[in-house]
Amino acid sequence: MDARLVLLPGDGIGPEVVDQAQRVLQAIASRFGHAFHYECRPMGGNAIDSHGTPLPDETLGACRQSAAVLLGAVGGPKWDDPHAKTRPEAGLLAIRKELGLFANLRPIKPSPWLLSASPLRSEIISGTDILFVRELTGGLYFGASGRRPHASGEEAYSTMTYNTGEVERVVRVAAEAARKRRGRLTMVDKANVLEASRLWRAVSARLMAAEFPEVKYDVVLVDSMAMHLISRPRDFDVVVTENMFGDILTDEGSMLTGSMGLLPSASLGSSGPGLYEPIHGSAPDIAGQGVANPLAAILAASMLLRHSLHLETEAESIETAVDNVLSAGFRTRDIAAGGPSLGTIEMGTRVIEALAR
Ligand code: NAD
């Protein structure tokens, strides 16, 4: 395969972890006989410094022309001024919107070698394997919002809006994933209170009956889901939900694994390139020290191979290599529990060595 990939290393530890993911992609290309062509572009705080905007036109143009985009992380104290004209995170929202990335996929699968890193007891999380599918371009974060005068001072409002098509397309992505996994889909909403949730419920039920009768489908209220996630996470396969509920639940879910440095995510649209990134931020507290955990970025590269290039064997070989590195006891500082640890580059090298075996 010949594929053009755009790398957006971003800020802080972003470049450090994306370097390792690129080395791993290169190792895959040599081993399986593919040619990956990389284009590195500015995005986030570094792009504000060099171009005055977090998502320069040429960066967006390059992304549109690519097969897939691998992002590190953006942001940091340098660009935190609340009065600044623009912020690095604006680039994230813009790229999602511009590329039409409406479905955010986040696998939550605690490593059996790191169960003790979780704040939960290992008997609760052992065997957990959830794929969250979060709607990414609608709902409260994109609906009408504003402020208006009020007798007590001011009134602020944010609106949760969804239409049939927006619900159908993301539920379809989730149901297709469920069909390839353990065949179960849970839709999370707040239909006892919100009209938007009642639309989600009606549209999802209709779609599942018509297109996915073989997928076992159920619905759970978001407040119950927040509890189930920490009391019986093993019981879920694919979970689909709207933007804000997904924002909160996926962060709760990430804590099941005990380390931000291990979790990747993918954002997909109906056509065009997908965007792949670790879920962690730019970690300014450890940037430049060479100690960041590159595994989330490396696993994001594996999702890229699976979802954008349809190279399932190659994706699985990265996941197996990461698993073998962890089972052999190699750790970066964030997951070493005070024990011996490897730096970012050494961890990348261990994964590449494990790929070769
Ligand atoms: P963070 O994820 O950057 O860091 C939280 C903690 O986890 C820190 O102690 C950090 O050292 C540690 N950590 C994170 N990733 C790690 C890794 N790979 N290896 C080892 N340790 C790791 O979150 P934050 O501190 O809240 O945010 C820092 C900056 O990142 C902010 O500017 C924020 O806006 C931005 N951010 C960006 C994204 C993104 O680009 N998608 C996501 C979240 C936060």
Side-chain angles (χ1 to χ4, degrees), residues 13 17 71-77 80 87 89 92 260-261 277-286 291-294 334:
I13 63 168
V17 297
L71 170 74
V74 300
D80 264 353
R87 291 169 56 97
E89 291 78 5
L92 283 177
M260 305 269 279
E277 57 187 312
I279 70 154
H280 60 72
S282 58
D285 53 335
I286 56 165
V291 297
N293 185 344
D334 55 313

Side-chain angles (χ1 to χ4, degrees), residues 314-334:
E314 289 82 340
E316 277 174 19
S317 68
I318 294 182
E319 287 154 8
T320 306
V322 167
D323 195 54
N324 289 342
V325 163
L326 291 172
S327 76
F330 296 115
R331 303 283 185 267
T332 43
R333 198 172 71 185
D334 55 313

Side-chain angles (χ1 to χ4, degrees), residues 44 61 129 194 225 253 331 345:
D129 181 2
L194 300 175
M225 188 66 195
R331 303 283 185 267
I345 298 173

Side-chain angles (χ1 to χ4, degrees), residues 20-33:
Q20 300 314 307
Q22 184 184 6
R23 285 179 69 208
V24 170
L25 282 170
Q26 233 2 68
I28 287 285
S30 329
R31 180 169 164 199
F32 290 88

Side-chain angles (χ1 to χ4, degrees), residues 253-272:
S254 70
M255 284 315 293
L256 299 180
T257 67
S259 172
M260 305 269 279
L262 286 171
L263 293 173
S265 86
S267 302
L268 308 175
S270 40
S271 61

Side-chain angles (χ1 to χ4, degrees), residues 42-208:
M43 148 114 186
N46 62 88
I48 294 179
D49 291 348
S50 60
H51 291 69
T53 167
L55 182 64
D57 288 346
E58 8 348 342
T59 296
L60 182 59
C63 293
R64 286 193 206 282
Q65 300 300 316
S66 71
V69 181
L70 183 65
L71 170 74
V74 300
K78 183 176 175 196
W79 305 281
D80 264 353
D81 176 4
H83 304 297
K85 270 209 318 281
T86 182
R87 291 169 56 97
E89 291 78 5
L92 283 177
L93 291 184
I95 197 169
R96 288 174 188 163
K97 199 77 187 168
E98 291 294 332
L99 297 180
L101 306 173
F102 62 81
N104 181 237
L105 275 58
R106 274 207 207 183
I108 309 268
K109 188 176 176 185
S111 164
W113 317 110
L114 290 173
L115 291 183
S116 60
S118 171
L120 297 186
R121 289 199 308 275
S122 56
E123 63 266 31
I124 291 181
I125 52 162
S126 159
T128 296
D129 181 2
I130 305 175
L131 177 67
F132 268 101
V133 181
R134 165 189 169 194
E135 201 289 326
L136 206 55
T137 51
L140 269 179
Y141 298 175
F142 291 91
S145 68
R147 292 194 188 194
R148 52 199 168 207
H150 185 263
S152 64
E154 262 187 310
E155 184 172 68
Y157 62 95
S158 303
T159 325
M160 184 188 284
T161 313
Y162 275 107
N163 60 49
T164 305
E166 286 172 329
V167 177
E168 277 175 354
R169 65 185 185 178
V170 71
V171 172
R172 199 172 277 125
V173 167
E176 275 162 5
R179 188 150 63 186
K180 292 188 199 144
R181 289 167 48 103
R182 301 193 301 281
R184 285 201 52 194
L185 178 65
T186 303
M187 199 274 289
V188 175
D189 65 21
K190 187 73 183 168
N192 52 346
V193 178
L194 300 175
E195 195 55 38
S197 283
R198 287 193 274 273
L199 180 76
W200 269 77
R201 209 171 262 214
V203 171
S204 305
R206 200 164 58 226
L207 180 102
M208 293 307 294

